[in-house]
Amino acid sequence: MRRALLLLATLALVVAGCSSEAKNPQPPTGWVDEDISFDADGLTIHGTFRHQNTPGPAALLISESGQTDRNGDNAVAGPVGNMRQLAEYLSDHGIATLRYDKVGTGKTGLGKFKDHPAEVGSAVYTAGARAAIRFLATRPGVDTAHLSVYALGEGTIHAMNLATDTAPDAPKIHALGLFQPLSARYLDIITGRVHADVDAAVSSGAKTRAQADAVVAAWNAAVAQARTQGTAPDTLPEGLSAILNAKNVKAVVEADSIDPVALAAKIPAATPVLLTCSDADNQASCPAEQGLIGALKHTALTVVALKGVNHVLRDDPTDNVANYAKKAPLSPQLTDALNTFITK
């Protein structure tokens, strides 16, 4: 259940995030990595605005779930650096970017949530994204007619929230990059993985059917408890307490309350959308994404089925979490797709 642990373990807010910002190489001539900060409902968020003096398009980058910093690094997978690489790719193509340390990571830290970290849930992350896009839209030289959002995994939920934001001060989102997005409600995704894992254990002889059924029953009861009472059991079998526990239950329940398919259906028609899925990513396989793809048919949708690309957008057919922090470029399959998409 290691991939399931990665998906939700980053929601455990007692774990400090990590940041590799200080190790970044100097940007090429003409581009500046400017340290910035902005307010999100009383929380000061820190990030990097990568830009040059020439006016042009800009993009907001939103990292993976929970405590993941501006570069895509977190305490579970280590210094991944994929969002920094995405920013560098986009600047090579004339697009300014803003990426930021989510609450609990990097310079942002827990801020006003220091004494009550369990109050941080999906709504706090969405508030951060809303503040970020408004800050980006006010930067000198940013062409607000070509303002895009690129997000990975659970970050795609916040990206779609920005695209459907109807507040008077909400910037219009020109295009969306949804990389390996959540395809269903959070706990439904995890439940599917629990079933698959125990079935595989039965097939291999590692568990009896009775043992597997007991694990599934315990997990199903925990999901029902979380959804109806907002609480989690003290213990769960098979390490499942790392996924759902008293410290992260608020964040999990808030995330689970969002239906990505319903959200996708509200994105304005004709919005250019790039959605990626991968045969090597158990968090975002192409068959699992069909419901979301169907909900996006009214947009100017491009679907890219990646081959042998892991969840952090690099070539690795094993999708082993231990490899996520290995220094490797973004998959050429992704950048080839972006080469066309960024022109839309």
Side-chain angles (χ1 to χ4, degrees):
M1 298 180 183
R2 195 169 184 181
R3 293 187 182 95
L5 287 170
L6 175 68
L7 181 65
L8 282 176
T10 50
L11 292 171
L13 295 172
V14 295
V15 179
C18 58
S19 175
S20 62
E21 190 65 27
K23 300 177 182 179
N24 284 355
Q26 290 298 312
T29 303
W31 286 89
V32 175
D33 278 345
E34 178 186 351
D35 284 332
I36 53 83
S37 64
F38 53 90
D39 177 80
D41 293 341
L43 174 70
T44 299
I45 294 180
H46 294 263
T48 299
F49 178 40
R50 186 178 177 88
H51 63 98
Q52 59 181 347
N53 292 326
T54 305
L60 175 66
L61 310 186
I62 306 178
S63 297
E64 178 59 275
S65 61
Q67 289 194 341
T68 306
D69 75 5
R70 69 185 81 181
N71 292 327
D73 305 346
N74 63 58
V76 176
V80 178
N82 56 348
M83 302 309 281
R84 172 180 53 77
Q85 290 175 313
L86 180 59
E88 292 168 352
Y89 164 85
L90 291 170
S91 63
D92 287 344
H93 292 76
I95 301 172
T97 56
L98 172 63
R99 63 191 197 273
Y100 60 95
D101 294 331
K102 289 185 175 182
V103 59
T105 72
K107 292 182 179 179
T108 299
L110 285 171
K112 68 176 186 177
F113 297 102
K114 181 179 179 180
D115 297 326
H116 38 90
E119 291 187 9
V120 175
S122 185
V124 173
Y125 295 116
T126 295
R130 285 176 174 157
I133 196 67
R134 285 160 172 76
F135 177 84
L136 179 59
T138 64
R139 293 305 86 197
V142 167
D143 179 1
T144 55
H146 291 87
L147 202 57
S148 301
V149 183
Y150 294 89
L152 173 64
E154 185 261 352
T156 60
I157 294 294
H158 310 305
M160 289 192 286
N161 266 308
L162 298 184
T164 57
D165 190 350
T166 58
D169 65 337
K172 177 179 171 56
I173 305 304
H174 170 71
L176 283 175
L178 305 178
F179 304 140
Q180 322 296 79
L182 288 187
S183 57
R185 292 177 63 183
Y186 236 107
L187 290 174
D188 288 342
I189 292 174
I190 301 301
T191 297
R193 285 189 209 128
V194 171
H195 280 264
D197 286 344
V198 298
D199 287 346
V202 171
S203 296
S204 68
K207 286 188 189 316
T208 66
R209 174 46 63 185
Q211 290 171 327
D213 289 346
V215 171
V216 170
W219 174 252
N220 287 344
V223 170
Q225 178 179 335
R227 285 176 169 172
T228 59
Q229 302 175 36
T231 60
D234 293 334
T235 60
L236 283 167
E238 301 294 318
L240 290 170
S241 289
I243 298 175
L244 182 62
N245 55 66
K247 292 177 179 177
N248 72 3
V249 66
K250 175 180 172 64
V252 171
V253 169
E254 279 193 13
D256 178 67
S257 69
I258 301 169
D259 182 353
V261 173
L263 194 56
K266 298 177 182 178
I267 293 173
T271 301
V273 177
L274 173 64
L275 182 148
T276 69
C277 54
S278 174
D279 62 355
D281 185 354
N282 286 340
Q283 297 186 43
S285 69
C286 296
E289 297 288 353
Q290 292 309 304
L292 189 61
I293 290 169
L296 290 166
K297 289 295 187 183
H298 66 289
T299 68
L301 177 64
T302 300
V303 177
V304 177
L306 303 170
K307 304 295 184 183
V309 175
N310 66 16
H311 189 66
V312 296
L313 307 175
R314 294 178 177 138
D315 289 331
D316 176 15
T318 71
D319 195 28
N320 189 328
V321 176
N323 295 334
Y324 283 7
K326 287 187 174 180
K327 303 306 177 187
L330 296 175
S331 172
Q333 297 173 60
L334 174 68
T335 54
D336 284 350
L338 283 170
N339 288 343
T340 299
F341 183 74
I342 61 176
T343 65
K344 294 185 176 181

